[in-house]
Amino acid sequence: MTPEPDAPDTAKRPKPFDPLALDHQLCFALYAAANRVIRLYRDQLEPLGLTYPQYLTLLVLWERDDLLVGEIGEALSLDSGTLTPLLKRLETAGHIVRTRDAADERRVRITLTKQGRALRAKAVNIPESIACEMGLPLETLVQLKQTLTTLAANPS
Amino acid sequence: MTPEPDAPDTAKRPKPFDPLALDHQLCFALYAAANRVIRLYRDQLEPLGLTYPQYLTLLVLWERDDLLVGEIGEALSLDSGTLTPLLKRLETAGHIVRTRDAADERRVRITLTKQGRALRAKAVNIPESIACEMGLPLETLVQLKQTLTTLAANPS
DNA sequence: GCCTTTTATATTGTGCACAATTTAATCGCT
DNA sequence: AGCGATTAAATTGTGCACAATATAAAAGGC
């Protein structure tokens, strides 16, 4: 099946490397993998009434409550254009409260409600469940996370 | 710095593993890395007047022209709800043409215009440029792509 | 104390991503 | 041929993601 070394010009040759071939794009692999993982989460989060970015926001607040909008934004690399409406939806759902800081009226403090804190118990087994669905050995996943974290952390 | 084995209960202990800590989430590393890489592309694609998903769509068409909407959707794991408006914008920009298939009026064939084909030359050096900006050794990037492709390809 | 600059959040507008539904054409079965 | 089932794309509606801008409050210079 390999072409003869001295085949004539009309014979099949190995294709020249195509830098724009979809299969060669790390960016597409990353994009497709991210979309797929978010889809996996959707199924787990739908019973909790949460979207994936809302879940990430709650992860931040479950670790440290009473944060400014900007602090959440820094943790997730999101700006107020994304976070403001998202936080309003989490407030409408009863998971958080948004309060203007009395000492600095520009700031908005985000605090969990009792309901928001209680939601954590329903989410605690999601990561392991997703890791299973990914169908890759744990060792591979750990190394993958390490590489991705480096990639995400480089100067934006 | 490690706590005494027989330290009293009030002494500092190593924190119990928190499965919901943001720093432990592969999903967040993936989400943040994907967002960052798309931001890197935005700077490169802006002069071409393309968004990142539009660029991916053109990658597919530069490899094989004259595809159905559904075939592009399968290549990119996107549905018509995403692709129909995106393709209409590419058509408005003059890069593609959308034509109802005469033999099967349900189908819409997507073909590149001359302008759409010409755009390829302006995009051909983007992947290498992005790879540099990522700031990771090529070896790492190759392996990362391999792992992500496996992750994205598992049954959805 | 004013006035410019900076900071924190909100708003507006565009473009995905996707679920759910709709429309219309083709297929399959009798 | 007739008709229910399937298929392909479009439409509708929600929720990000982000650029650009707006609003308003605080900080800093003079």
Side-chain angles (χ1 to χ4, degrees), chain A residues 37-88:
Chain A
V37 169
I38 290 177
R39 278 195 289 273
L40 291 180
Y41 272 89
R42 224 184 300 272
D43 298 335
Q44 303 268 335
L45 292 174
E46 193 261 346
L48 308 190
L50 293 176
T51 66
Y52 180 68
Q54 287 168 13
Y55 165 75
L56 290 181
T57 303
L58 289 176
L59 289 187
V60 174
L61 288 166
W62 287 331
E63 270 192 275
R64 189 151 84 84
D65 201 352
D66 191 22
L67 291 172
L68 304 177
V69 172
E71 291 173 324
I72 296 173
E74 191 173 351
L76 300 177
S77 301
L78 295 174
D79 69 4
S80 70
T82 301
L83 280 176
T84 296
L86 185 156
L87 292 168
K88 284 182 178 174

Side-chain angles (χ1 to χ4, degrees), chain B residues 31 39 42 68-70 80-81 84 88 98 100 106 108:
Chain B
Y31 165 88
R39 277 194 291 272
R42 223 185 302 271
L68 304 177
V69 172
S80 71
T84 295
K88 283 181 177 172
R98 299 162 63 248
R100 282 277 162 195
R106 290 170 305 181
V108 171

Side-chain angles (χ1 to χ4, degrees), chain A residues 41 43-50 55 58-59 62 95 114-129, chain B residues 19-20:
Chain A
Y41 272 89
D43 298 335
Q44 303 268 335
L45 292 174
E46 193 261 346
L48 308 190
L50 293 176
Y55 165 75
L58 289 176
L59 289 187
W62 287 331
H95 301 315
K114 188 174 173 183
Q115 185 196 122
R117 279 188 298 276
L119 203 56
R120 189 181 184 285
K122 295 185 184 173
V124 79
N125 53 344
I126 290 181
E128 190 184 344
S129 168
Chain B
L20 291 180

Side-chain angles (χ1 to χ4, degrees), chain A residues 9-29:
Chain A
D9 272 14
T10 54
K12 205 171 181 181
R13 288 164 180 280
K15 284 182 196 158
F17 178 76
D18 177 2
L20 292 179
L22 191 65
D23 283 352
H24 299 157
Q25 307 304 314
L26 168 57
C27 69
F28 175 63

